[in-house]
Amino acid sequence: MSPFHRHAIHRRKSSILIQPQGQPELPAPAAAAAAAMTLDLNLTNIQGDILIGMKKNKEKFFFFSINDRKIFKQRLKSGAKFITTTTQLVDVNKQPAAMVNVAFSQTGLQAMGFYHFLNDFHFSGGQFREAAELGDPGTDQWVGTFRGKKVHGVFLLASDSTTVIDAEWAAVNQLFGSSITELYTLSAEARPGDQAGHEHFGFLDGISQPAINGFTANPAPGQSIVAPGRVLLGRDGDERMLGRPSWAKDGSFLVFRQLKQLVPEFNKFLRDNPLLLPGLTPEQGSELLGARMVGRWKSGAPVDLAPVFDDPTLAQDPMRNNNFDFSYPGEDLASNQTRCPFSAHIRKTAPRADFRSGNPEHHIVRAGIPYDPEVSTGEAAANATQQDRGLAFVAYQSDIDEGFHTLQQRWANTVEFVHNKTDPTPGFDPIVGANNGQSRFVSGLDPSDPDRDFNLVVDFVQSRGGEYFFSPSISAITDVLTADI
Ligand code: HEM
């Protein structure tokens, strides 16, 4: 019996994926299959987490190193049929008890005997050496496991219950035995009750994802449509494939970052700095400040369409909640910040009309999930974080430089971006922009005085490090990576 054998007593009761109102709908299995046929996308060969971009109910990340190449490869080959595919994850009836996906770092591929250059220098060098480039204050706050290059891979397990995940992990562990060492585990889950789908600051997440041509059957109005090769290597739109080995086709680079969020400190900042527009209470002014920092209200409604008051009905309507591009006829896109600040998180990371038309290249599929507990009453009262919590950030792309790295370094951390604004200089992304631990200025947050700079002395999001991984296709695992070499 395979150690991946599904335990009869550990059954999934609901979908592995959650779908709060306002997030794009899961493609219907038949529609996804039909769309994939037109572009010959083999959804049974693509790991499930890559294209779907929806929130999981519970998820655990198991980071490991490989001790015994030969045994590891034998066991991976025998267990590969249990790696969850896109076809399975997209269909609640076909979903296994727990999703199992696997991805390898550059050193992990080497530990398996593969020294091929995947034509992505961020992946080859690993994330640790890029800490300063990404704006991290150093690596002292990095989780020890991520310091250096010791992580060879990560298993991603997701389900609707932690018991099911743990039972599945016990089976995976039994399969690999001493051929791997579990280095570090991060447990994550959707937040409780009506906060499901919201990240720890309280904002609905996972609303704007690129529609993938050949997979997303019905893109929503305003949704960017990208070629599959922006996410999958070797597909139409992947401009680096010529320099990659053929087995890399249908895989994707997985950027992992453990991003700690200082929630009580963030809330205090909002409380202390309400935007006192006429007609707003201080509480409303604080909500507005948070909304302008993100570019969306906590409900998910975009400030570009709801600039002063939240609009929960708009937030819940996927046909409208992405249908904006910051431009309005008769208004100057280079100077107008009455609706959305240039520095807002969603404008910095997806500049829409501010940037080249359609912006086909700088897209990522985000598959992150909140980790660790809700803010305690003690932490809220003290306005101080005592327990690490945040976002287990996961992003898929075929080119880390054009994807995550551009979004973080060239956009969120670059004060002049978005370029070509007449005045003032936008400043840092107030949510994820980073300045190597030094304070960050942000302009445009106050609609009555867009020149007013806010000086953020606290990083509300702090990096605890991560790694760059490659999530190979199932056939690459069975036919190439596990071959005896
Ligand atoms: C703890 C850290 C983070 C938090 C709290 C956060 C929060 C959010 C929220 C609330 C949204 C709006 C909802 C949505 O459109 O899905 C969003 C969108 C987005 N975020 Fe983040 N995010 C974080 C980290 C990052 C990082 C590190 C990146 C990339 C470097 C990133 C890239 C994006 C992108 C591309 C969008 C979609 C923008 C759009 O298309 O409108 N986020 N994020």
Side-chain angles (χ1 to χ4, degrees):
M1 180 168 58
S2 160
F4 275 85
H5 173 73
R6 301 302 187 262
H7 302 248
I9 47 166
H10 295 307
R11 287 206 181 282
R12 186 173 48 79
K13 298 193 179 65
S14 53
S15 175
I16 293 173
L17 306 166
I18 60 164
Q19 196 187 353
Q21 266 198 319
Q23 290 185 345
E25 280 190 20
L26 183 65
M37 284 237 314
T38 59
L39 279 190
D40 195 26
L41 277 189
N42 184 355
L43 299 181
T44 56
N45 197 32
I46 299 167
Q47 294 203 52
D49 199 35
I50 299 172
L51 297 178
I52 292 178
M54 288 184 67
K55 301 265 163 222
K56 268 80 68 185
N57 206 319
K58 318 262 180 203
E59 186 163 12
K60 285 196 184 189
F61 301 85
F62 299 93
F63 299 91
F64 64 92
S65 61
I66 300 167
N67 305 319
D68 185 318
R69 173 188 300 183
K70 200 171 161 58
I71 297 183
F72 175 74
K73 287 167 71 151
Q74 281 169 356
R75 303 288 164 89
L76 183 61
K77 195 176 181 84
S78 68
K81 52 183 168 297
F82 297 105
I83 294 173
T84 310
T85 67
T86 311
T87 310
Q88 287 174 297
L89 197 60
V90 92
D91 188 342
V92 181
N93 299 316
K94 287 191 183 146
Q95 286 176 353
M99 173 194 97
V100 179
N101 273 198
V102 66
F104 300 98
S105 66
Q106 174 73 70
T107 50
L109 292 179
Q110 288 168 353
M112 295 166 80
F114 286 85
Y115 289 82
H116 298 152
F117 179 46
L118 296 195
N119 206 2
D120 189 297
F121 61 91
H122 298 287
F123 174 72
S124 330
Q127 198 178 111
F128 180 65
R129 67 162 193 172
E130 297 194 340
E133 228 177 281
L134 295 172
D136 292 7
T139 52
D140 290 356
Q141 297 305 313
W142 276 42
V143 172
T145 301
F146 296 131
R147 289 192 213 132
K149 295 185 169 193
K150 37 189 177 287
V151 180
H152 288 159
V154 56
F155 282 105
L156 299 86
L157 270 63
S159 189
D160 63 342
S161 103
T162 310
T163 315
V164 176
I165 293 180
D166 290 344
E168 192 70 19
W169 177 242
V172 174
N173 231 337
Q174 192 186 339
L175 173 69
F176 289 101
S178 59
S179 74
I180 60 170
T181 297
E182 185 182 338
L183 300 173
Y184 174 61
T185 303
L186 188 64
S187 303
E189 60 180 326
R191 294 187 53 218
D194 67 359
Q195 290 302 295
H198 294 241
E199 48 70 47
H200 273 297
F201 293 142
F203 295 83
L204 184 63
D205 199 2
I207 305 168
S208 176
Q209 296 277 20
I212 293 150
N213 195 12
F215 177 66
T216 315
N218 299 306
Q223 199 177 5
S224 303
I225 302 171
V226 300
R230 290 292 163 194
V231 185
L232 297 170
L233 277 68
R235 289 287 173 180
D236 174 38
D238 172 13
E239 278 146 25
R240 289 176 181 262
M241 190 56 197
L242 277 180
R244 314 192 201 262
S246 56
W247 58 261
K249 184 175 177 181
D250 283 346
S252 186
F253 291 110
L254 183 175
V255 171
F256 181 85
R257 296 271 277 168
Q258 182 172 334
L259 298 173
K260 178 177 178 178
Q261 292 178 254
L262 303 191
V263 181
E265 291 83 347
F266 177 80
N267 289 339
K268 180 173 180 343
F269 175 75
L270 299 189
R271 272 200 314 277
D272 289 349
N273 296 282
L275 295 172
L276 296 170
L277 298 194
L280 295 192
T281 62
E283 289 73 25
Q284 287 171 323
S286 295
E287 288 293 311
L288 178 61
L289 176 62
R292 288 179 67 85
M293 288 165 79
V294 172
R296 289 186 185 270
W297 296 86
K298 287 185 174 170
S299 65
V303 295
D304 194 48
L305 301 178
V308 184
F309 295 101
D310 189 8
D311 182 345
T313 313
L314 162 67
Q316 292 180 359
D317 184 353
M319 300 305 281
R320 292 196 294 141
N321 66 12
N322 264 312
N323 203 7
F324 61 92
D325 70 0
F326 309 121
S327 75
Y328 285 82
E331 284 183 7
D332 184 3
L333 189 62
S335 63
N336 193 315
Q337 305 195 67
T338 46
R339 296 182 178 80
C340 186
F342 302 144
S343 56
H345 175 55
I346 69 158
R347 195 162 182 174
K348 277 279 201 177
T349 56
R352 302 182 189 222
D354 286 328
F355 201 62
R356 198 171 312 130
S357 153
N359 172 27
E361 56 272 64
H362 303 295
H363 282 288
I364 53 178
V365 175
R366 291 173 299 131
I369 176 167
Y371 70 86
D372 282 350
E374 295 292 295
V375 173
S376 68
T377 43
E379 288 177 293
N383 295 317
T385 298
Q386 281 146 17
Q387 181 143 9
D388 186 357
R389 67 175 60 75
L391 183 70
F393 176 82
V394 172
Y396 291 99
Q397 62 253 273
S398 63
D399 183 332
I400 298 177
D401 198 55
E402 295 210 325
F404 165 73
H405 204 269
T406 290
L407 270 50
Q408 180 69 57
Q409 200 235 344
R410 292 190 203 105
W411 292 1
N413 298 358
T414 300
V415 295
E416 293 83 17
F417 192 81
V418 178
H419 300 293
N420 303 322
K421 298 301 177 192
T422 46
D423 203 34
T425 306
F428 289 89
D429 173 334
I431 304 297
V432 300
N435 190 19
N436 301 109
Q438 294 166 44
S439 65
R440 305 168 295 148
F441 86 90
V442 184
S443 70
L445 293 180
D446 186 344
S448 59
D449 180 8
D451 281 337
R452 175 179 163 201
D453 281 349
F454 284 72
N455 187 35
L456 308 182
V457 290
V458 176
D459 286 348
F460 304 116
V461 170
Q462 303 187 344
S463 163
R464 306 225 48 222
E467 186 52 288
Y468 299 137
F469 296 98
F470 179 64
S471 181
S473 71
I474 312 282
S475 59
I477 293 174
T478 51
D479 303 348
V480 182
L481 296 176
T482 54
D484 214 1
I485 50 170

